[in-house]
């Protein structure tokens, strides 16, 4: 098993990989104690039928630069294949602001090819490659050295079996003409906005029971302070204070250290020092926020006049269309989007891109009374009413 610990060795491997049509990639990382993921291992494999064309890159090795890998990522003649790539891509974007191009995500491709929603790598290997996976090293502390042979073998299997999965799915997409569907889905994964969390937008991730602008102004300032503090010190945001404590603080609005100390949910670390000072200042900013600058939550769907009969018909249509296309229904449209369409909204994902082709066009025709649905044995048939 080839282990790479120098920049020169990585450059040699990447130069060789650039001669092929694709390379498979995976990472192992830790995030339990940090805000940003700590990259501990990178696995790479070129096309082939055994482990000899794969390698393990140790990013913790002294002096090793990942620039040769990033050069390969920028080489558009080589497809970079991942499974469930989001967290891997975040690591590379945060480190070097680089995205692999072109990108292929086997999890996305599998959903498009009818393998179900959020299908796991182990399932794909078992169903496509017809091979078992040893998952005994799943909960390894990948930052510890040296790694055992079993751990290395486990890590490498994440890219060697991926070759067969990729080749199968790529061929199926080509046969069905759905490669464009996957490319549309991957635009989100290769957008910087997916990985940049602006502190002043962090409040949108906090679940609240009220949409009062005055309350949300305090929530926004507390969430922004927490996000900034966590990013600057590279600690998990929940270690600063958790969401339930944030909501309690926004409700009680403490003005002094004494009032802050009465919090039931704030941990001891949050009652003193920089965190305590930051909380009090954030609360003050939120309370003093001018009305015109207060958060304005999206209430466009709060009072939708949903036609329940039409919403039910859309559910039947979605089930029929996705079964026919072999695509998971939730990948096309969640229940909330069907209700939105039934209420007259048209700015929903199901009515755009490839989803419109599979479901959206007929959904609109159903809403306009241009088609009807009829039972035909165990199936649902679309009846045109235009004539």
């Amino acid at each position: 098993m080839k282990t790479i610990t120098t920049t020169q060795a990585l450059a040699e491997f990447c130069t060789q990989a650039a001669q092929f049509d694709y390379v498979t990639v995976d990472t192992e990382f830790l995030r339990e104690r940090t805000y940003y993921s700590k990259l501990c291992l990178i696995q790479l494999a070129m096309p082939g039928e055994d482990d000899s064309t794969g390698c393990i890159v140790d990013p913790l090795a002294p002096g090793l630069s990942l620039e040769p890998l990033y050069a390969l990522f920028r080489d558009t003649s080589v497809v970079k294949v991942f499974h469930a790539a989001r967290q891997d891509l975040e690591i590379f974007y945060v480190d070097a602001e680089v995205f692999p191009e072109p990108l292929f995500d086997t999890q996305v491709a599998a959903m498009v090819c009818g393998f179900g929603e959020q299908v796991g790598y182990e399932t794909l290997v078992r169903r496509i490659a017809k091979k078992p996976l040893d998952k005994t090293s799943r909960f390894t502390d990948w930052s510890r050295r040296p790694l055992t042979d079993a751990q290395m073998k486990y890590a490498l299997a994440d890219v060697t079996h991926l070759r067969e999965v990729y080749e199968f799915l790529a061929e199926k997409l080509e046969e069905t003409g759905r490669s464009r569907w996957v490319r549309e889905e991957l635009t989100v994964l290769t957008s910087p906005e997916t990985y940049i969390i602006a502190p002043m937008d962090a409040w949108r991730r906090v679940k609240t029971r009220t949409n009062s602008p005055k309350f949300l102004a305090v929530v926004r300032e507390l969430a922004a302070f927490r996000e900034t503090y966590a990013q600057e010190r590279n600690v998990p945001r929940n270690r600063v204070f958790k969401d339930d404590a944030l909501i309690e603080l926004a409700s009680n609005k403490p003005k002094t250290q004494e009032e802050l100390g009465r919090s039931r949910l704030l941990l001891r670390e949050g009652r003193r020092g920089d965190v305590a000072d930051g909380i009090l200042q954030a609360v003050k900013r939120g309370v003093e926020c001018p009305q015109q600058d207060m958060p304005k939550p999206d209430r466009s769907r709060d009072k939708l006049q949903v036609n329940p009969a039409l919403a039910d018909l859309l559910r039947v249509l979605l089930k029929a269309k996705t079964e026919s296309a072999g695509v998971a229904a939730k990948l096309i449209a969640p229940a909330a989007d069907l209700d939105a369409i039934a209420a007259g909204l048209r700015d929903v994902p199901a009515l755009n891109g490839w989803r419109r082709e599979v479901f959206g066009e007929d959904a609109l025709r159903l809403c306009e009374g241009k088609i009807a649905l009829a039972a035909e044995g165990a199936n649902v048939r679309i009846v045109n009413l235009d004539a």
Side-chain angles (χ1 to χ4, degrees), residues 10 14 25 27 39 42 65-76 78 80 82 85-103 186-196:
L10 178 59
C14 291
V25 188
T27 69
L39 182 60
I42 305 170
S65 168
L66 294 180
E67 186 52 41
L69 177 63
Y70 295 148
L72 180 62
F73 281 178
R74 298 184 188 102
D75 186 344
T76 57
V78 183
K80 273 64 71 171
F82 292 75
R86 192 190 185 286
Q87 289 184 297
D88 302 315
L89 299 189
E90 181 180 14
I91 291 171
F92 297 128
Y93 180 75
V94 169
D95 182 57
E97 295 189 356
V98 61
F99 289 117
E101 185 183 359
L103 169 71
L186 294 181
T187 56
V188 174
L189 288 179
T190 54
S191 170
E193 287 73 22
T194 301
Y195 308 101
I196 297 173

Side-chain angles (χ1 to χ4, degrees), residues 194-257:
T194 301
Y195 308 101
I196 297 173
I197 301 178
M200 290 305 290
D201 291 331
W203 67 277
R204 302 181 188 277
R205 302 161 62 104
V206 180
K207 294 181 180 179
T208 63
R209 294 183 178 180
T210 175
N211 284 329
S212 162
K214 290 183 179 180
F215 175 76
L216 290 180
V218 183
V219 170
R220 181 180 62 186
E221 294 299 333
L222 285 167
F225 161 70
R226 180 177 67 174
E227 204 72 22
T228 300
Y229 188 95
Q231 289 177 356
E232 289 177 349
R233 291 161 177 80
N234 195 23
V235 296
R237 64 175 66 86
N238 282 345
R239 187 170 293 183
V240 185
F241 48 84
K242 297 183 179 180
D243 282 1
D244 56 359
L246 189 154
I247 298 300
E248 181 191 40
L249 292 167
S251 299
N252 296 338
K253 303 177 184 60
K255 299 182 180 65
T256 65
Q257 290 277 357

